[in-house]
Amino acid sequence: MPPLVLVLNGPNLNLLGTREPATYGHETLADIAALCGRSAEKLGLKIEFRQTNHEGELLDWIHGARARCAGIVINPAAWTHTSVAIRDALVASEVPVIEVHLSNVHAREAFRHHSFVSPIAKAVLAGFGSHGYHLALEHFSHTLKG
Ligand code: DQA
């Protein structure tokens, strides 16, 4: 069985493609899901790709990852900068986490420079656009499959 990696996306990422294209590009979330699907197949991983605008739903998905998933790739979007609950859920899951941002959050407004997730993540990728998701999956393929 290939290792299962959860790819989770937070609020407003369903609007990609039309949302601030100068910052986030023209790719839609469906494009990124397809890219992740192709990467996973090539890398020998199984993925579940999800997005929500409801924090409780994201928490439930993270809780469900415990003992079921080998890795979590997460773009927590705005909750990166606000949510202790998401950080605590990720810690409780005991699943290795890679945090991904499409944009380079450190080159943007000061309120985006702090992340509640980064200190508990295995790695952080910011500014690679959708390629960041591929890089995160590549890393999990490398580490999970030895
Ligand atoms: C984002 C960066 C966040 O600051 C922002 O709130 C997002 C998207 C990114 O992928 O660059 O919604 O996570």
Side-chain angles (χ1 to χ4, degrees):
M1 265 298 263
L4 174 61
V5 176
L6 215 48
V7 184
L8 300 176
N9 294 279
N12 303 312
L13 293 173
N14 56 311
L15 302 177
L16 287 175
T18 53
R19 174 192 181 200
E20 301 178 71
T23 302
Y24 298 118
H26 292 279
E27 276 174 305
T28 64
L29 192 68
D31 293 332
I32 296 176
L35 174 150
C36 287
R38 287 193 299 274
S39 295
E41 195 166 334
K42 229 183 320 183
L43 295 165
L45 298 173
K46 183 170 158 30
I47 60 162
E48 289 177 12
F49 188 98
R50 299 183 192 165
Q51 187 274 334
T52 182
N53 293 319
H54 304 279
E55 190 172 351
E57 188 169 38
L58 183 60
L59 292 171
D60 289 343
W61 291 342
I62 296 168
H63 296 170
R66 192 186 155 94
R68 191 176 80 89
C69 297
I72 295 176
V73 175
I74 186 166
N75 182 346
W79 293 328
T80 307
H81 319 296
T82 62
S83 181
V84 175
I86 288 171
R87 172 204 173 111
D88 284 354
L90 290 167
V91 171
S93 76
E94 295 181 0
V95 176
V97 172
I98 300 181
E99 178 184 350
V100 172
H101 299 284
L102 294 160
S103 64
N104 177 0
V105 283
H106 300 288
R108 299 181 63 195
E109 302 96 323
F111 67 84
R112 295 184 205 276
H113 299 176
H114 176 261
S115 165
F116 282 105
V117 174
S118 297
I120 59 91
K122 194 171 181 212
V124 182
L125 291 155
F128 291 95
S130 60
H131 190 55
Y133 289 77
H134 170 77
L135 293 172
L137 291 173
E138 201 170 42
H139 178 77
F140 273 138
S141 169
H142 184 67
T143 54
L144 296 174
K145 296 175 15 187

